[in-house]
Amino acid sequence: MKVDTWFGVLETGGVGEITGSRLISKGIRELALYSLSLRDSRLNLPPEGFDLKAAAIECGFVESPAEYYSLLHEVTLEAAKLQVSGALTPDQRIIQAVEALDDINETTNSLSERLFEWYGGYFPESGLSGETLALFIVKYGSRDNIDSEDPLYSKARDSMGAKLEAADEALLKGFAESVCSLYERRRQIEAYIQSSMELIAPNLNIIAGPMLGARLISIAGSLEKLAVFPSSTIQVIGASKALFKHLRARAPSPKHGVIYSHPLINTAPWWVRGKIARAVSAKLSLAARIDFYSGKKDISLAEKLETKVLQIKALNPRPPQKKQEIGAKLKKKRRK
Amino acid sequence: MKVDTWFGVLETGGVGEITGSRLISKGIRELALYSLSLRDSRLNLPPEGFDLKAAAIECGFVESPAEYYSLLHEVTLEAAKLQVSGALTPDQRIIQAVEALDDINETTNSLSERLFEWYGGYFPESGLSGETLALFIVKYGSRDNIDSEDPLYSKARDSMGAKLEAADEALLKGFAESVCSLYERRRQIEAYIQSSMELIAPNLNIIAGPMLGARLISIAGSLEKLAVFPSSTIQVIGASKALFKHLRARAPSPKHGVIYSHPLINTAPWWVRGKIARAVSAKLSLAARIDFYSGKKDISLAEKLETKVLQIKALNPRPPQKKQEIGAKLKKKRRK
């Protein structure tokens, strides 16, 4: 009978005596990797009451119980470390990136607004904002330094803004540089999310686009969790407030959560948005499942979705009549 | 009789006829500056019913009413522009800097936390945070690149963090650079506030320190407004919630607002904090007034404040007895 143990494979006879053994070398790391590889197999478990320590001494793997326990301690510690370091799966890294992107967006906006207000005192006519303004300030600083070829030259000459002192100019330039650095960072993180999504969730990437796909994974918590969500859950992810209001009171159910940013949904006329959201989320759920369980790219998914959306639009060319709505409401009330 | 007008000084006879004139050159800017300089004088106003337009034509300044009005329009526009550009006084610039500093602080903290969480997956044992962590990441990126002389070397070698892929490393390094840039910006703005406070409010700077002084100006809205605040208002600036609760209900009055950050107050024992806050705010109010109305530096102010605080501490060496408090409460209730 074969017995798998953390230090090797043993052959035992009928009454438990060891008849042969294939031991692992005594390296901590090898032992840890080997014991992790055993985790999932249910074959060759030691029989009940089998004394691993005695067997290890008997087959010559260790010399004393003390050595056995100290080695076991180190191996399990190493195995735990290996497990922890393996916990950062690619989808977890995407989630980190999405969260960092949200932080960056928020801070960039608030610092941009501050820069706009601050520089507004010196050149209110510029009409610039956001990154363009930050780049303008980094380039010129005071409006006096503007090139005569710049389209803003004449505006800058006649500006009613205050004179920018050297100390303030240095301060504003530094501030604008930080803002530019944040905009740069935003682009970098977006590019990272795009290339990672292409790798770990190619189908979700096609159906949802990289940013929406990454956000869905981020809200679900992992690609695995997203894959087991029913499509009706995916449809309202991010609309939990409206959903619970619907469940608690007689509020209408939300038609879409974060998937509203999907171009098929937000460009559709309002009376088919709910139907299209349902079609999109069904395909999103399928895509997440394919990505998690097989990982193969399936281009037909996007085509099917497009056909479905065209069909929905063809069946509902006009908004529903007001009369019908009133009729429906009366019916509901009578039912109550 | 002399009459000051926006286009020059006129000499008029007894019945209003013009006997002589000293006209300004016809430049828009000179005229605008001249008319602004007239604003504050109440001397030599044109008598009631005096026709400026006719006088301007009579003395040869303009040739037609149309020319008079178009010139007047341009001059007043220019004067308005000049006034707007003069509106950014040094204390307004300090206020902008204080507000920018608050924004920077907030964003730096939130991005630092994100960086800490993000990098924590790769090197949880580092024990670094804030700017030290950002600088560490900019320097090394992955913990594999750490110098063998670095004190964190052994921790990095045994770390149970995940392996940092090249793409993630680039992302984290960029993010850390942005965070470093924000920390750098913070220092720059702080230095600016310090040097500006030294210039525009030297006394407030001595009594309150640059950051607290700048914050007081920022909350008041300007140095002028701060100078007219009574010291009791300065004492509770920034504690408006507690103050209104006190005024509305029977809540205790706040002892200090933002001035709590003053080292004399926040290092004092609790039972003299209110008294010391009163002494500090009295001197702050004095300092703001001297700064706004004379601008001369008065070193004796700080000495007087110190003497006063020592006196308060000498008079109240021990915390008040519990018994007395209860007695006081009972008294209050009886009075009700």
Side-chain angles (χ1 to χ4, degrees):
Chain A
M1 190 188 145
K2 263 175 79 178
V3 176
D4 278 341
T5 69
W6 62 270
F7 48 88
V9 185
L10 306 177
E11 292 282 344
T12 55
V15 290
E17 81 281 10
I18 296 170
T19 54
S21 62
R22 212 168 60 244
L23 299 180
I24 307 293
S25 75
K26 250 183 182 174
I28 305 286
R29 202 176 176 85
E30 290 80 42
L31 282 166
L33 284 170
Y34 179 70
S35 60
L36 282 178
S37 74
L38 285 183
R39 267 189 314 168
D40 298 329
S41 88
R42 293 254 164 274
L43 293 169
N44 307 331
L45 289 178
E48 226 182 303
F50 187 83
D51 188 348
L52 275 175
K53 177 175 45 113
I57 296 174
E58 196 182 333
C59 67
F61 181 69
V62 288
E63 285 173 1
S64 65
E67 195 193 345
Y68 177 84
Y69 283 121
S70 92
L71 199 61
L72 183 59
H73 178 244
E74 279 178 57
V75 169
T76 43
L77 211 65
E78 182 68 23
K81 278 192 188 181
L82 284 172
Q83 272 183 286
V84 169
S85 66
L88 228 60
T89 52
D91 55 344
Q92 292 302 319
R93 283 186 275 142
I94 287 190
I95 292 176
Q96 281 287 1
V98 169
E99 287 177 359
L101 187 68
D102 285 345
D103 280 354
I104 288 258
N105 270 339
E106 202 179 302
T107 55
T108 315
N109 288 343
S110 93
L111 293 185
S112 267
E113 272 169 45
R114 170 66 51 205
L115 190 66
F116 180 77
E117 197 192 316
W118 199 355
Y119 198 66
Y122 301 105
F123 188 13
E125 297 86 353
S126 74
L128 305 172
S129 66
E131 194 174 7
T132 350
L133 178 67
L135 288 170
F136 177 86
I137 299 173
V138 169
K139 190 173 173 193
Y140 294 120
S142 164
R143 65 168 200 279
D144 298 338
N145 306 332
I146 198 167
D147 275 344
S148 58
E149 283 127 50
D150 199 288
L152 287 169
Y153 180 68
S154 65
K155 275 189 184 170
R157 224 186 27 195
D158 301 340
S159 169
M160 53 200 269
K163 195 176 147 29
L164 187 55
E165 310 285 336
D168 297 70
E169 188 176 351
L171 209 60
L172 269 162
K173 268 194 167 180
F175 199 88
E177 265 167 38
S178 290
V179 173
C180 284
S181 146
L182 288 173
Y183 276 109
E184 184 57 42
R185 211 54 55 217
R186 181 153 95 179
R187 273 191 294 276
Q188 197 188 359
I189 296 181
E190 276 173 359
Y192 172 87
I193 291 176
Q194 271 166 19
S195 62
S196 304
M197 281 298 287
E198 181 70 43
L199 275 179
I200 76 140
N203 291 298
L204 199 59
N205 194 29
I206 292 177
I207 301 288
M211 297 316 298
L212 176 58
R215 193 160 297 280
L216 284 171
I217 294 178
S218 160
I219 298 178
S222 70
L223 182 58
E224 181 176 6
K225 281 186 192 158
L226 186 67
V228 298
F229 276 176
S231 79
S232 54
T233 300
I234 292 180
Q235 192 185 343
V236 293
I237 276 181
S240 43
K241 208 174 149 190
L243 179 65
F244 285 115
K245 199 171 173 190
H246 164 63
L247 294 175
R248 215 173 43 232
R250 292 178 71 84
S253 68
K255 290 199 285 289
H256 29 59
V258 291
I259 63 161
Y260 181 72
S261 71
H262 195 287
L264 281 177
I265 297 174
N266 61 23
T267 59
W270 59 265
W271 64 91
V272 288
R273 253 180 223 162
K275 293 182 209 301
I276 293 180
R278 207 154 66 231
V280 170
S281 58
K283 286 288 176 287
L284 284 175
S285 154
L286 263 177
R289 281 162 206 203
I290 300 175
D291 284 333
F292 184 70
Y293 293 108
S294 91
K296 267 183 220 146
K297 205 165 170 173
D298 183 356
I299 310 172
S300 70
L301 221 55
E303 284 164 19
K304 278 180 200 156
L305 177 59
E306 212 154 306
T307 325
K308 178 83 187 169
V309 168
L310 287 178
Q311 199 183 338
I312 292 173
K313 283 188 179 169
L315 283 174
N316 302 274
R318 269 181 300 277
Q321 300 268 306
K322 282 264 167 186
K323 253 194 236 167
Q324 286 182 340
E325 266 182 51
I326 293 166
K329 261 190 194 168
L330 283 177
K331 238 187 201 168
K332 251 192 193 168
K333 271 199 179 160
R334 232 172 276 147
R335 236 195 288 158
K336 190 173 154 186
Chain B
M1 189 187 148
K2 263 176 78 179
V3 176
D4 277 341
T5 69
W6 61 271
F7 47 88
V9 185
L10 306 178
E11 291 285 343
T12 54
V15 288
E17 82 280 12
I18 296 171
T19 55
S21 63
R22 212 170 58 247
L23 299 179
I24 307 293
S25 74
K26 250 181 182 174
I28 305 286
R29 203 176 175 83
E30 291 80 42
L31 282 165
L33 283 171
Y34 179 71
S35 60
L36 282 178
S37 74
L38 286 181
R39 267 189 316 166
D40 296 330
S41 87
R42 292 256 165 271
L43 292 168
N44 307 330
L45 289 177
E48 226 183 306
F50 187 83
D51 189 348
L52 275 175
K53 177 176 42 114
I57 295 173
E58 198 182 330
C59 69
F61 180 70
V62 289
E63 285 171 3
S64 65
E67 194 192 346
Y68 177 85
Y69 283 121
S70 92
L71 199 62
L72 182 60
H73 177 242
E74 278 179 57
V75 169
T76 43
L77 212 66
E78 182 68 22
K81 277 191 188 181
L82 284 172
Q83 272 185 286
V84 169
S85 67
L88 227 62
T89 52
D91 56 344
Q92 293 301 321
R93 283 186 276 141
I94 287 189
I95 291 176
Q96 281 287 1
V98 168
E99 287 177 359
L101 187 68
D102 285 345
D103 281 354
I104 288 258
N105 270 338
E106 201 179 304
T107 54
T108 316
N109 288 343
S110 92
L111 293 185
S112 267
E113 272 169 45
R114 171 66 51 204
L115 190 66
F116 180 77
E117 197 191 318
W118 200 355
Y119 199 66
Y122 302 106
F123 188 13
E125 296 87 353
S126 74
L128 305 172
S129 65
E131 194 175 6
T132 348
L133 179 66
L135 288 170
F136 177 86
I137 298 172
V138 169
K139 191 173 172 193
Y140 295 119
S142 165
R143 65 168 200 280
D144 297 338
N145 306 331
I146 199 167
D147 274 346
S148 58
E149 284 126 49
D150 199 289
L152 286 169
Y153 180 69
S154 67
K155 274 187 184 171
R157 221 187 28 194
D158 301 340
S159 170
M160 53 200 266
K163 196 176 147 26
L164 187 54
E165 310 286 335
D168 297 70
E169 188 176 352
L171 208 61
L172 269 162
K173 268 193 166 181
F175 198 89
E177 266 167 36
S178 290
V179 172
C180 284
S181 147
L182 288 173
Y183 275 109
E184 185 57 43
R185 212 55 56 217
R186 180 153 98 179
R187 272 191 294 275
Q188 197 188 358
I189 296 181
E190 276 173 359
Y192 172 86
I193 291 176
Q194 272 167 17
S195 62
S196 304
M197 281 297 288
E198 182 70 43
L199 276 179
I200 75 139
N203 292 298
L204 198 60
N205 194 28
I206 292 177
I207 301 289
M211 297 316 297
L212 176 57
R215 193 160 298 279
L216 285 171
I217 295 178
S218 159
I219 299 178
S222 70
L223 183 56
E224 182 176 5
K225 281 187 191 156
L226 187 67
V228 298
F229 276 175
S231 79
S232 54
T233 301
I234 293 180
Q235 191 185 345
V236 294
I237 275 180
S240 43
K241 204 172 151 192
L243 180 65
F244 286 113
K245 199 171 172 191
H246 164 62
L247 295 175
R248 213 171 45 230
R250 291 179 71 83
S253 67
K255 290 200 287 288
H256 29 59
V258 290
I259 63 162
Y260 180 72
S261 71
H262 195 287
L264 281 177
I265 297 174
N266 61 23
T267 60
W270 59 265
W271 63 91
V272 288
R273 254 180 222 162
K275 294 183 208 302
I276 293 180
R278 208 153 66 230
V280 170
S281 58
K283 287 287 177 287
L284 284 175
S285 154
L286 262 177
R289 281 162 207 202
I290 301 175
D291 285 334
F292 184 69
Y293 293 107
S294 92
K296 268 183 217 143
K297 204 165 170 175
D298 183 356
I299 309 171
S300 71
L301 221 55
E303 284 165 19
K304 279 182 200 155
L305 176 59
E306 211 155 305
T307 325
K308 178 83 186 166
V309 168
L310 286 179
Q311 201 183 338
I312 291 172
K313 283 189 181 169
L315 281 175
N316 302 275
R318 269 182 301 274
Q321 301 268 306
K322 282 265 167 184
K323 253 195 233 165
Q324 286 182 342
E325 267 183 52
I326 293 165
K329 262 191 192 165
L330 283 176
K331 239 187 198 167
K332 252 194 190 164
K333 272 203 177 156
R334 233 173 275 146
R335 237 194 286 159
K336 190 171 153 189

